[in-house]
Amino acid sequence: MYIREISDGADGLHKMNKLTVITGTTASGKSDIAVELALIHGAEIVSADSRQVFKGLDLGSGKITREEMKGVPHHLLDVARPGDFFSMAHFQKLAYEAVDDIIRRGSRAFLAGGTGLYINAVVDGYELHDDKPDPEIRKGIEKKSAQELIDIIRHADPAALERVDIKNKRRLERAAEKALSGRVCDKPSLPRYETLVIGVTWPREMLYERIRIRLDRRLEQGMIDEVKRLREQGVSDDFLYRLGLEYRYILMYLKGEFEDYDAFYNKLFMEIRHLAKEQMTWFRKRKDINWIDMEGDPIREASDLIAGFYGD
């Protein structure tokens, strides 16, 4: 086990605080795994999910319930109102504050979630800006093709292409938007913590079945009614559409853009499966992920990794 050290001015070098990261594909069970491991190791959990930061986005985002938390403190859930501007820079700032506070109080901090950029922002220490987007620039960006977006980014900030998933058009749009608005930062990343990254996923067909079962359960629990309620409360259709996946396709279903319920369901199921594929592509770029065997004894395997990391 190595210790990453950073310069601290006149004080010389000091050891970095430790952070355990639990990440993985959608419907993999990473939230449950994180809770069980937190109970064993006396940890608190900082959520790393781009939709769970918003109040009222519960079923559609797969937000953990109070009962499922089993008494483990969770942070960065429900910290913004639907429709608020909330950037990766906002998340990083709040995550740093939460992790530092947890460690300061003598507990261990687990960062758990599946939003790859949020994970990377904290683990790799991205230098970020928190400027609000320019509506006119965003409007123009959304009309451009993926290749046009890549060309914009390459011209303004070539290094950014290494940080963005070029197969994800929404990520390309945000990166190109930053480039055109002058919000490019060429400062190198500066990791803040020594990290152990644990990955959770399943063989493809098993994962797809888990996705189907979870989708059915959430629909039965009222996921469509959740979107209806958000609209009634004044949440804009544009915001819901930009959230993607469940919120986008339920919105389209409510607006009559699908032939019938089955067409809606099949499209949503296919898109969630596609997300799982994209997530694996993203995570493969990280060479520091310790993938645990979910068909074996994942809690024990992950717990052993954590014990070794902390020197228990």
Side-chain angles (χ1 to χ4, degrees):
M1 191 66 62
Y2 69 92
I3 300 292
R4 289 189 296 192
E5 296 179 319
I6 56 176
S7 176
D8 193 27
D11 294 331
L13 297 172
H14 72 274
K15 292 182 178 179
M16 302 169 75
N17 286 324
K18 295 188 175 186
L19 173 67
T20 295
V21 180
I22 301 166
T23 191
T25 51
T26 186
S28 61
K30 55 187 174 294
S31 295
D32 293 338
I33 291 283
V35 166
E36 294 302 321
L37 292 171
L39 288 169
I40 294 170
H41 294 277
E44 298 182 22
I45 294 173
V46 179
S47 172
D49 187 290
S50 61
R51 300 187 300 175
Q52 293 182 9
V53 298
F54 294 106
K55 299 176 182 178
L57 273 63
D58 301 327
L59 290 171
S61 71
K63 191 178 296 176
I64 190 169
T65 67
R66 187 67 57 183
E67 181 180 0
E68 291 167 341
M69 291 179 187
K70 297 183 178 180
V72 174
H74 280 63
H75 306 265
L76 268 61
L77 298 174
D78 302 328
V79 295
R81 295 173 301 179
D84 284 354
F85 173 64
F86 192 93
S87 68
M88 181 166 59
H90 287 126
F91 169 79
Q92 185 194 56
K93 178 178 181 294
L94 292 177
Y96 280 164
E97 291 174 354
V99 170
D100 290 348
D101 179 63
I102 292 167
I103 295 172
R104 190 179 305 115
R105 289 187 281 102
S107 294
R108 292 175 177 176
F110 288 180
L111 182 68
T115 301
L117 277 174
Y118 280 17
I119 296 290
N120 289 3
V122 174
V123 172
D124 297 330
Y126 288 173
E127 285 284 345
L128 300 170
H129 296 284
D130 59 359
D131 303 344
K132 288 189 176 181
D134 184 314
E136 290 302 315
I137 290 178
R138 173 164 288 187
K139 187 176 179 180
I141 283 292
E142 291 174 348
K143 297 178 181 178
K144 296 187 180 296
S145 68
Q147 187 56 54
E148 288 174 321
L149 296 172
I150 290 172
D151 290 342
I152 289 171
I153 301 166
R154 181 179 290 114
H155 177 74
D157 184 18
L161 285 177
E162 300 178 5
R163 302 192 297 268
V164 66
D165 181 359
I166 64 173
K167 294 182 180 180
N168 186 320
K169 191 168 187 290
R170 185 182 176 193
R171 300 300 185 194
L172 283 173
E173 288 173 349
R174 298 292 80 82
E177 179 183 322
K178 289 180 181 180
L180 289 178
S181 62
R183 290 185 284 129
V184 174
C185 181
D186 58 4
K187 293 182 181 179
S189 297
L190 185 61
R192 186 168 180 145
Y193 310 105
E194 183 193 358
T195 53
L196 167 68
V197 186
I198 295 172
V200 182
T201 192
W202 296 80
R204 180 176 298 180
E205 293 307 315
M206 294 181 70
L207 180 61
Y208 289 170
E209 180 62 12
R210 290 179 60 89
I211 290 172
R212 184 191 65 76
I213 291 172
R214 190 180 72 160
L215 176 58
D216 289 348
R217 182 177 67 250
R218 289 157 73 187
L219 286 167
E220 290 171 2
Q221 291 173 337
M223 190 161 58
I224 292 176
D225 288 336
E226 177 175 282
V227 177
K228 288 181 181 178
R229 184 168 59 253
L230 288 166
R231 296 179 81 197
E232 291 169 356
Q233 293 171 350
V235 178
S236 72
D237 287 354
D238 179 64
F239 175 77
L240 291 169
Y241 186 85
R242 285 188 285 109
L243 288 171
L245 287 179
E246 293 88 352
Y247 293 101
R248 174 178 297 179
Y249 293 106
I250 290 175
L251 173 66
M252 294 169 64
Y253 173 68
L254 293 174
K255 294 172 71 174
E257 297 182 25
F258 286 99
E259 182 179 345
D260 53 28
Y261 179 86
D262 287 344
F264 149 72
Y265 178 92
N266 291 334
K267 176 64 173 177
L268 179 53
F269 179 47
M270 182 184 70
E271 289 299 323
I272 298 174
R273 286 173 44 168
H274 183 64
L275 169 66
K277 291 182 181 178
E278 287 187 337
Q279 287 177 317
M280 281 308 302
T281 298
W282 182 268
F283 291 131
R284 287 192 188 102
K285 295 178 182 178
R286 296 205 67 94
K287 305 304 181 184
D288 58 345
I289 298 181
N290 299 276
W291 293 99
I292 56 175
D293 181 8
M294 294 299 291
E295 296 181 88
D297 189 346
I299 298 297
R300 180 174 180 178
E301 182 181 354
S303 187
D304 287 347
L305 288 170
I306 294 169
F309 180 56
Y310 289 99
D312 294 346

Coordinates of all heavy atoms in Angstrom, one line a residue, residues 149-226:
L149 N -18.6 19.0 -31.9 CA -18.3 19.3 -30.5 C -16.8 18.8 -30.2 O -16.1 19.6 -29.5 CB -19.2 18.5 -29.6 CG -20.7 18.9 -29.7 CD1 -21.6 18.0 -28.9 CD2 -20.9 20.4 -29.2
I150 N -16.4 17.7 -30.7 CA -15.1 17.2 -30.5 C -14.1 18.2 -31.1 O -13.0 18.5 -30.5 CB -14.9 15.8 -31.2 CG1 -15.7 14.8 -30.4 CG2 -13.4 15.4 -31.2 CD1 -15.7 13.4 -31.0
D151 N -14.4 18.8 -32.3 CA -13.5 19.7 -32.9 C -13.4 21.0 -32.1 O -12.3 21.6 -31.9 CB -14.0 20.1 -34.3 CG -13.9 18.9 -35.3 OD1 -13.1 18.0 -35.0 OD2 -14.6 18.9 -36.3
I152 N -14.5 21.4 -31.5 CA -14.4 22.6 -30.6 C -13.5 22.4 -29.4 O -12.7 23.2 -29.1 CB -15.9 23.0 -30.2 CG1 -16.7 23.5 -31.3 CG2 -15.8 24.0 -29.0 CD1 -18.2 23.7 -31.0
I153 N -13.7 21.2 -28.8 CA -12.9 20.9 -27.6 C -11.5 20.8 -27.9 O -10.6 21.3 -27.2 CB -13.4 19.6 -26.9 CG1 -14.9 19.8 -26.5 CG2 -12.6 19.3 -25.7 CD1 -15.6 18.5 -26.2
R154 N -11.2 20.1 -29.0 CA -9.8 19.9 -29.4 C -9.1 21.2 -29.7 O -7.9 21.4 -29.3 CB -9.7 19.0 -30.7 CG -8.3 18.7 -31.2 CD -8.3 17.8 -32.4 NE -8.7 16.5 -32.1 CZ -9.8 15.9 -32.5 NH1 -10.6 16.6 -33.3 NH2 -10.1 14.6 -32.2
H155 N -9.8 22.2 -30.3 CA -9.2 23.5 -30.6 C -8.9 24.3 -29.3 O -7.9 24.9 -29.2 CB -10.1 24.2 -31.5 CG -9.6 25.6 -31.8 ND1 -8.5 25.9 -32.7 CD2 -10.0 26.8 -31.3 CE1 -8.3 27.2 -32.7 NE2 -9.2 27.8 -31.9
A156 N -9.9 24.2 -28.3 CA -9.7 25.1 -27.1 C -9.0 24.4 -26.0 O -8.2 25.1 -25.3 CB -11.1 25.4 -26.7
D157 N -9.1 23.1 -25.9 CA -8.5 22.4 -24.7 C -8.3 21.0 -25.0 O -9.1 20.1 -24.6 CB -9.4 22.6 -23.5 CG -8.8 22.0 -22.2 OD1 -7.6 21.7 -22.2 OD2 -9.6 21.7 -21.3
P158 N -7.3 20.6 -25.8 CA -7.0 19.2 -26.3 C -7.0 18.2 -25.1 O -7.5 17.1 -25.3 CB -5.7 19.3 -27.0 CG -5.5 20.8 -27.4 CD -6.2 21.5 -26.3
A159 N -6.4 18.6 -24.0 CA -6.3 17.7 -22.8 C -7.7 17.3 -22.3 O -7.9 16.2 -21.7 CB -5.5 18.3 -21.7
A160 N -8.7 18.1 -22.6 CA -10.1 17.8 -22.1 C -10.6 16.6 -22.8 O -11.5 15.9 -22.2 CB -11.0 19.0 -22.3
L161 N -10.2 16.3 -24.0 CA -10.7 15.1 -24.7 C -10.3 13.8 -23.9 O -11.0 12.8 -24.1 CB -10.2 15.1 -26.1 CG -10.8 16.0 -27.1 CD1 -10.2 16.0 -28.5 CD2 -12.3 15.8 -27.2
E162 N -9.3 13.9 -23.1 CA -8.9 12.7 -22.4 C -9.7 12.5 -21.1 O -9.8 11.4 -20.5 CB -7.4 12.8 -21.9 CG -6.4 13.0 -23.1 CD -5.0 13.1 -22.7 OE1 -4.8 13.1 -21.4 OE2 -4.1 13.4 -23.5
R163 N -10.5 13.6 -20.8 CA -11.3 13.5 -19.5 C -12.8 13.3 -19.8 O -13.6 13.1 -18.9 CB -11.1 14.8 -18.7 CG -9.7 15.1 -18.3 CD -9.7 16.2 -17.3 NE -10.3 17.5 -17.8 CZ -9.5 18.4 -18.4 NH1 -8.2 18.3 -18.5 NH2 -10.1 19.5 -18.8
V164 N -13.2 13.4 -21.1 CA -14.6 13.3 -21.4 C -14.9 12.0 -22.3 O -14.0 11.6 -23.1 CB -15.1 14.5 -22.2 CG1 -14.4 14.6 -23.5 CG2 -16.6 14.6 -22.3
D165 N -16.0 11.4 -22.0 CA -16.4 10.3 -22.8 C -17.0 10.8 -24.1 O -18.1 11.3 -24.2 CB -17.5 9.5 -22.0 CG -18.0 8.3 -22.8 OD1 -17.5 8.0 -23.9 OD2 -18.9 7.5 -22.2
I166 N -16.2 10.6 -25.2 CA -16.6 11.2 -26.5 C -17.8 10.5 -27.1 O -18.4 10.9 -28.1 CB -15.4 11.2 -27.5 CG1 -15.0 9.7 -27.8 CG2 -14.3 12.0 -27.0 CD1 -14.0 9.7 -28.9
K167 N -18.2 9.3 -26.5 CA -19.4 8.6 -27.0 C -20.7 9.2 -26.3 O -21.8 8.8 -26.7 CB -19.3 7.1 -26.8 CG -18.2 6.5 -27.6 CD -18.2 5.0 -27.4 CE -17.1 4.3 -28.2 NZ -17.0 2.9 -28.0
N168 N -20.5 10.0 -25.3 CA -21.6 10.6 -24.6 C -21.8 12.0 -25.0 O -21.1 12.9 -24.7 CB -21.3 10.5 -23.1 CG -22.5 10.9 -22.2 OD1 -23.2 11.9 -22.6 ND2 -22.7 10.2 -21.1
K169 N -22.9 12.2 -25.8 CA -23.0 13.6 -26.4 C -23.3 14.6 -25.4 O -22.8 15.8 -25.5 CB -24.2 13.6 -27.4 CG -24.3 14.8 -28.3 CD -25.2 14.7 -29.5 CE -25.1 15.9 -30.4 NZ -25.7 17.1 -29.8
R170 N -24.0 14.3 -24.3 CA -24.3 15.3 -23.3 C -22.9 15.7 -22.6 O -22.8 16.9 -22.4 CB -25.2 14.7 -22.2 CG -25.6 15.8 -21.2 CD -26.5 15.2 -20.1 NE -26.8 16.1 -19.1 CZ -27.3 15.8 -17.9 NH1 -27.6 14.6 -17.6 NH2 -27.6 16.8 -17.0
R171 N -22.0 14.8 -22.4 CA -20.7 15.2 -21.8 C -19.9 16.0 -22.8 O -19.3 17.0 -22.4 CB -19.9 13.9 -21.5 CG -20.6 13.0 -20.5 CD -20.9 13.7 -19.1 NE -21.4 12.7 -18.2 CZ -22.0 13.1 -17.0 NH1 -22.1 14.4 -16.7 NH2 -22.4 12.2 -16.2
L172 N -20.0 15.7 -24.1 CA -19.4 16.5 -25.1 C -19.9 17.9 -25.1 O -19.2 18.9 -25.3 CB -19.5 15.9 -26.5 CG -18.6 14.7 -26.8 CD1 -19.0 14.0 -28.1 CD2 -17.2 15.0 -26.8
E173 N -21.2 18.0 -25.0 CA -21.9 19.4 -25.0 C -21.4 20.2 -23.9 O -21.1 21.4 -24.0 CB -23.4 19.2 -24.9 CG -24.0 18.7 -26.2 CD -25.5 18.4 -26.1 OE1 -26.0 18.4 -24.9 OE2 -26.1 18.1 -27.1
R174 N -21.3 19.6 -22.7 CA -20.9 20.4 -21.5 C -19.4 20.8 -21.7 O -19.0 21.9 -21.3 CB -21.1 19.6 -20.2 CG -22.5 19.2 -19.9 CD -23.3 20.4 -19.6 NE -23.8 21.2 -20.7 CZ -24.9 20.8 -21.5 NH1 -25.6 19.7 -21.2 NH2 -25.2 21.6 -22.5
A175 N -18.6 19.9 -22.2 CA -17.1 20.2 -22.3 C -17.0 21.3 -23.4 O -16.1 22.3 -23.2 CB -16.4 19.0 -22.7
A176 N -17.7 21.2 -24.5 CA -17.6 22.3 -25.5 C -18.2 23.6 -25.0 O -17.6 24.7 -25.4 CB -18.4 21.8 -26.8
E177 N -19.2 23.5 -24.2 CA -19.8 24.8 -23.7 C -18.7 25.5 -22.8 O -18.6 26.7 -22.9 CB -21.0 24.4 -22.8 CG -21.7 25.6 -22.1 CD -22.8 25.1 -21.3 OE1 -23.5 24.2 -21.6 OE2 -23.0 25.7 -20.2
K178 N -18.0 24.7 -22.0 CA -17.0 25.3 -21.2 C -15.9 26.0 -22.1 O -15.4 27.1 -21.8 CB -16.3 24.3 -20.3 CG -17.2 23.8 -19.1 CD -16.5 22.8 -18.3 CE -17.5 22.3 -17.2 NZ -16.8 21.3 -16.3
A179 N -15.5 25.3 -23.1 CA -14.5 25.8 -24.0 C -14.9 27.1 -24.7 O -14.1 28.0 -24.7 CB -14.2 24.7 -25.1
L180 N -16.2 27.2 -25.2 CA -16.6 28.4 -25.9 C -16.9 29.5 -24.9 O -16.8 30.7 -25.3 CB -17.9 28.0 -26.6 CG -17.8 27.2 -27.9 CD1 -19.1 26.9 -28.5 CD2 -16.8 27.8 -28.9
S181 N -17.1 29.2 -23.7 CA -17.4 30.3 -22.7 C -16.1 30.8 -22.0 O -16.2 31.6 -21.1 CB -18.4 29.8 -21.6 OG -17.9 28.7 -20.9
G182 N -15.0 30.2 -22.4 CA -13.7 30.6 -21.7 C -13.5 30.0 -20.4 O -12.6 30.4 -19.7
R183 N -14.3 28.9 -20.0 CA -14.1 28.3 -18.7 C -13.2 27.1 -18.7 O -13.3 26.2 -18.0 CB -15.5 27.9 -18.1 CG -16.3 29.1 -17.8 CD -17.6 28.7 -17.1 NE -18.6 28.2 -18.1 CZ -19.2 27.0 -17.9 NH1 -19.0 26.2 -16.9 NH2 -20.1 26.6 -18.8
V184 N -12.2 27.2 -19.6 CA -11.2 26.2 -19.7 C -10.1 26.4 -18.6 O -9.6 27.5 -18.5 CB -10.5 26.1 -21.1 CG1 -9.4 25.1 -21.1 CG2 -11.6 25.7 -22.1
C185 N -9.7 25.4 -17.9 CA -8.7 25.6 -16.9 C -7.5 24.6 -17.2 O -7.8 23.4 -17.3 CB -9.2 25.3 -15.5 SG -8.0 25.5 -14.2
D186 N -6.3 25.1 -17.4 CA -5.2 24.3 -17.8 C -4.4 23.9 -16.6 O -3.3 23.4 -16.7 CB -4.4 24.9 -18.8 CG -3.8 26.3 -18.4 OD1 -4.0 26.7 -17.2 OD2 -3.1 26.9 -19.2
K187 N -4.9 24.1 -15.4 CA -4.1 23.7 -14.2 C -4.2 22.2 -14.1 O -5.2 21.6 -14.4 CB -4.7 24.3 -12.9 CG -4.6 25.9 -12.8 CD -5.1 26.4 -11.5 CE -5.0 27.9 -11.4 NZ -5.6 28.4 -10.2
P188 N -3.1 21.6 -13.7 CA -3.1 20.1 -13.5 C -3.9 19.7 -12.4 O -4.1 20.4 -11.4 CB -1.6 19.8 -13.3 CG -1.0 21.1 -12.6 CD -1.8 22.2 -13.3
S189 N -4.4 18.5 -12.5 CA -5.2 17.9 -11.4 C -4.3 17.7 -10.2 O -3.1 17.4 -10.3 CB -5.8 16.5 -11.8 OG -6.7 16.7 -12.9
L190 N -4.9 17.8 -9.0 CA -4.1 17.7 -7.8 C -4.9 16.8 -6.8 O -5.8 17.3 -6.1 CB -3.8 19.1 -7.2 CG -2.9 19.1 -5.9 CD1 -1.5 18.5 -6.3 CD2 -2.8 20.5 -5.4
P191 N -4.6 15.5 -6.8 CA -5.3 14.6 -5.8 C -5.2 15.1 -4.4 O -4.2 15.5 -3.9 CB -4.6 13.3 -6.0 CG -4.0 13.4 -7.4 CD -3.6 14.8 -7.6
R192 N -6.3 15.0 -3.7 CA -6.4 15.5 -2.3 C -6.3 14.4 -1.3 O -6.0 14.6 -0.2 CB -7.7 16.3 -2.2 CG -8.0 17.0 -0.9 CD -9.2 17.9 -1.0 NE -9.5 18.6 0.2 CZ -10.0 19.8 0.2 NH1 -10.2 20.5 -0.9 NH2 -10.3 20.4 1.4
Y193 N -6.7 13.1 -1.8 CA -6.7 12.0 -0.9 C -6.0 10.8 -1.5 O -5.8 10.7 -2.7 CB -8.2 11.6 -0.7 CG -9.1 12.7 -0.3 CD1 -10.0 13.2 -1.2 CD2 -9.1 13.2 1.0 CE1 -10.9 14.2 -0.9 CE2 -9.9 14.3 1.4 CZ -10.8 14.8 0.4 OH -11.7 15.8 0.8
E194 N -5.5 10.0 -0.6 CA -5.1 8.6 -1.0 C -6.3 7.8 -1.1 O -7.1 7.8 -0.2 CB -4.1 8.0 0.0 CG -3.6 6.7 -0.5 CD -2.9 5.9 0.6 OE1 -2.8 6.4 1.7 OE2 -2.5 4.7 0.3
T195 N -6.5 7.1 -2.2 CA -7.8 6.5 -2.4 C -7.7 5.0 -2.7 O -6.7 4.5 -3.4 CB -8.6 7.1 -3.6 OG1 -7.7 7.1 -4.8 CG2 -9.0 8.5 -3.3
L196 N -8.7 4.2 -2.2 CA -8.9 2.8 -2.6 C -10.2 2.8 -3.3 O -11.2 3.3 -2.8 CB -9.0 2.0 -1.3 CG -9.6 0.5 -1.6 CD1 -8.5 -0.3 -2.4 CD2 -9.9 -0.1 -0.2
V197 N -10.2 2.4 -4.6 CA -11.4 2.3 -5.4 C -11.8 0.9 -5.6 O -11.1 0.1 -6.1 CB -11.1 3.0 -6.8 CG1 -12.4 3.1 -7.6 CG2 -10.5 4.4 -6.6
I198 N -13.1 0.6 -5.2 CA -13.7 -0.7 -5.3 C -14.8 -0.6 -6.3 O -15.6 0.3 -6.3 CB -14.2 -1.1 -3.9 CG1 -13.0 -1.3 -2.9 CG2 -15.0 -2.4 -4.1 CD1 -13.5 -1.6 -1.5
G199 N -14.8 -1.6 -7.3 CA -15.8 -1.6 -8.3 C -16.8 -2.7 -8.2 O -16.4 -3.8 -7.8
V200 N -18.0 -2.4 -8.5 CA -19.1 -3.4 -8.3 C -19.9 -3.5 -9.6 O -20.4 -2.5 -10.2 CB -20.1 -2.9 -7.2 CG1 -21.2 -3.9 -7.0 CG2 -19.4 -2.6 -5.9
T201 N -19.9 -4.7 -10.2 CA -20.7 -5.0 -11.3 C -21.0 -6.5 -11.4 O -20.6 -7.3 -10.6 CB -20.1 -4.5 -12.6 OG1 -21.1 -4.5 -13.7 CG2 -18.9 -5.3 -13.0
W202 N -21.7 -6.9 -12.5 CA -22.1 -8.3 -12.7 C -21.8 -8.7 -14.1 O -21.7 -7.8 -15.0 CB -23.6 -8.5 -12.4 CG -24.0 -8.3 -11.0 CD1 -24.2 -7.0 -10.4 CD2 -24.2 -9.2 -10.0 NE1 -24.6 -7.2 -9.1 CE2 -24.6 -8.5 -8.8 CE3 -24.2 -10.6 -9.9 CZ2 -24.9 -9.2 -7.6 CZ3 -24.5 -11.3 -8.7 CH2 -24.8 -10.6 -7.6
P203 N -21.8 -10.0 -14.4 CA -21.7 -10.4 -15.8 C -22.9 -9.8 -16.6 O -24.0 -9.6 -16.0 CB -21.8 -12.0 -15.7 CG -21.3 -12.3 -14.4 CD -21.7 -11.2 -13.5
R204 N -22.7 -9.5 -17.8 CA -23.7 -8.7 -18.6 C -25.1 -9.2 -18.5 O -26.0 -8.4 -18.1 CB -23.3 -8.7 -20.1 CG -24.2 -7.9 -20.9 CD -23.7 -7.8 -22.4 NE -22.5 -7.1 -22.4 CZ -21.8 -6.9 -23.6 NH1 -22.3 -7.4 -24.7 NH2 -20.6 -6.3 -23.6
E205 N -25.4 -10.5 -18.7 CA -26.8 -10.9 -18.7 C -27.4 -10.8 -17.3 O -28.6 -10.5 -17.2 CB -26.9 -12.3 -19.3 CG -26.6 -12.4 -20.8 CD -27.4 -11.5 -21.6 OE1 -28.6 -11.4 -21.4 OE2 -26.8 -10.8 -22.5
M206 N -26.6 -11.1 -16.3 CA -27.1 -11.0 -14.9 C -27.4 -9.5 -14.6 O -28.4 -9.2 -13.9 CB -26.1 -11.6 -14.0 CG -25.9 -13.1 -14.1 SD -24.7 -13.7 -12.9 CE -25.6 -13.6 -11.4
L207 N -26.5 -8.6 -15.1 CA -26.8 -7.2 -14.8 C -28.0 -6.7 -15.5 O -28.8 -6.0 -15.0 CB -25.6 -6.4 -15.3 CG -25.7 -4.9 -15.1 CD1 -25.8 -4.5 -13.7 CD2 -24.5 -4.2 -15.8
Y208 N -28.3 -7.2 -16.8 CA -29.5 -6.8 -17.5 C -30.7 -7.3 -16.8 O -31.7 -6.6 -16.8 CB -29.4 -7.4 -18.9 CG -28.4 -6.7 -19.8 CD1 -28.1 -7.2 -21.1 CD2 -27.8 -5.5 -19.4 CE1 -27.2 -6.6 -21.9 CE2 -26.8 -4.9 -20.3 CZ -26.6 -5.5 -21.5 OH -25.6 -4.9 -22.3
E209 N -30.7 -8.5 -16.2 CA -31.8 -9.0 -15.5 C -32.1 -8.1 -14.2 O -33.2 -7.8 -13.8 CB -31.6 -10.4 -15.1 CG -32.8 -11.1 -14.3 CD -34.1 -11.1 -15.1 OE1 -34.1 -10.8 -16.3 OE2 -35.1 -11.4 -14.4
R210 N -31.0 -7.7 -13.6 CA -31.1 -6.9 -12.4 C -31.7 -5.5 -12.8 O -32.5 -5.0 -12.0 CB -29.7 -6.7 -11.7 CG -29.2 -7.9 -11.0 CD -27.8 -7.6 -10.4 NE -27.8 -6.6 -9.4 CZ -28.1 -6.8 -8.2 NH1 -28.3 -8.0 -7.7 NH2 -28.1 -5.8 -7.3
I211 N -31.3 -5.0 -13.9 CA -31.9 -3.7 -14.4 C -33.4 -3.9 -14.6 O -34.1 -3.0 -14.3 CB -31.1 -3.3 -15.7 CG1 -29.7 -2.9 -15.4 CG2 -31.9 -2.2 -16.4 CD1 -28.9 -2.6 -16.6
R212 N -33.8 -5.0 -15.3 CA -35.2 -5.2 -15.5 C -36.0 -5.3 -14.2 O -37.0 -4.7 -14.1 CB -35.4 -6.5 -16.4 CG -36.9 -6.7 -16.8 CD -37.0 -8.1 -17.4 NE -36.8 -9.2 -16.4 CZ -37.6 -9.5 -15.4 NH1 -38.8 -8.9 -15.3 NH2 -37.3 -10.5 -14.5
I213 N -35.5 -6.1 -13.3 CA -36.2 -6.2 -12.0 C -36.3 -4.9 -11.3 O -37.4 -4.6 -10.7 CB -35.5 -7.3 -11.1 CG1 -35.6 -8.7 -11.7 CG2 -36.0 -7.3 -9.7 CD1 -34.7 -9.7 -11.1
R214 N -35.2 -4.1 -11.3 CA -35.3 -2.9 -10.6 C -36.2 -1.9 -11.3 O -37.0 -1.1 -10.6 CB -33.9 -2.2 -10.5 CG -33.8 -1.0 -9.5 CD -32.5 -0.4 -9.4 NE -32.1 0.3 -10.6 CZ -31.1 1.2 -10.7 NH1 -30.5 1.5 -9.6 NH2 -30.8 1.9 -11.8
L215 N -36.2 -1.9 -12.6 CA -37.1 -1.0 -13.3 C -38.5 -1.3 -13.1 O -39.4 -0.4 -12.8 CB -36.8 -1.1 -14.8 CG -37.7 -0.3 -15.8 CD1 -37.7 1.2 -15.4 CD2 -37.3 -0.5 -17.2
D216 N -38.9 -2.6 -13.1 CA -40.3 -3.0 -12.8 C -40.7 -2.6 -11.4 O -41.8 -2.1 -11.2 CB -40.4 -4.5 -12.9 CG -40.3 -5.0 -14.3 OD1 -40.4 -4.2 -15.2 OD2 -40.2 -6.3 -14.5
R217 N -39.8 -2.8 -10.4 CA -40.1 -2.4 -9.0 C -40.3 -0.9 -8.9 O -41.3 -0.5 -8.2 CB -39.0 -2.9 -8.1 CG -39.3 -2.6 -6.6 CD -38.2 -3.1 -5.7 NE -36.9 -2.4 -5.9 CZ -35.8 -2.9 -6.4 NH1 -35.8 -4.2 -6.9 NH2 -34.7 -2.2 -6.5
R218 N -39.5 -0.1 -9.5 CA -39.6 1.3 -9.4 C -40.9 1.9 -10.1 O -41.5 2.8 -9.6 CB -38.4 2.0 -9.9 CG -37.2 1.8 -9.0 CD -35.9 1.9 -9.7 NE -35.5 3.3 -10.0 CZ -34.5 3.6 -10.7 NH1 -33.7 2.7 -11.2 NH2 -34.2 4.9 -11.0
L219 N -41.2 1.3 -11.2 CA -42.5 1.6 -11.9 C -43.7 1.3 -11.0 O -44.6 2.1 -10.9 CB -42.6 1.0 -13.2 CG -41.6 1.6 -14.3 CD1 -41.5 0.6 -15.5 CD2 -42.1 3.0 -14.7
E220 N -43.6 0.1 -10.4 CA -44.7 -0.3 -9.5 C -44.8 0.6 -8.3 O -45.9 0.9 -7.8 CB -44.5 -1.7 -9.0 CG -44.7 -2.8 -10.2 CD -44.3 -4.2 -9.7 OE1 -43.9 -4.3 -8.6 OE2 -44.4 -5.1 -10.6
Q221 N -43.7 1.1 -7.8 CA -43.7 2.0 -6.6 C -44.1 3.4 -7.0 O -44.4 4.2 -6.0 CB -42.3 2.1 -6.1 CG -41.8 0.7 -5.4 CD -40.4 0.8 -5.0 OE1 -39.6 1.5 -5.5 NE2 -40.0 -0.1 -4.0
G222 N -44.3 3.8 -8.2 CA -44.9 5.1 -8.6 C -43.9 6.0 -9.2 O -44.0 7.2 -9.1
M223 N -43.0 5.5 -10.0 CA -42.0 6.4 -10.7 C -42.6 7.4 -11.7 O -42.2 8.5 -11.8 CB -40.9 5.6 -11.4 CG -39.7 6.4 -11.8 SD -38.2 5.3 -12.1 CE -38.9 4.2 -13.4
I224 N -43.7 6.9 -12.4 CA -44.4 7.8 -13.3 C -45.1 8.9 -12.5 O -45.1 10.1 -12.9 CB -45.3 7.0 -14.2 CG1 -44.5 6.1 -15.1 CG2 -46.2 7.9 -15.0 CD1 -45.4 5.2 -16.0
D225 N -45.7 8.5 -11.4 CA -46.4 9.5 -10.6 C -45.4 10.6 -10.0 O -45.7 11.7 -9.8 CB -47.1 8.9 -9.4 CG -48.4 8.1 -9.9 OD1 -48.9 8.5 -11.0 OD2 -48.8 7.2 -9.2
E226 N -44.2 10.1 -9.8 CA -43.1 11.0 -9.3 C -42.9 12.1 -10.3 O -42.8 13.3 -9.9 CB -41.8 10.3 -9.0 CG -40.7 11.2 -8.5 CD -39.4 10.4 -8.1 OE1 -39.4 9.9 -7.0 OE2 -38.5 10.3 -8.9

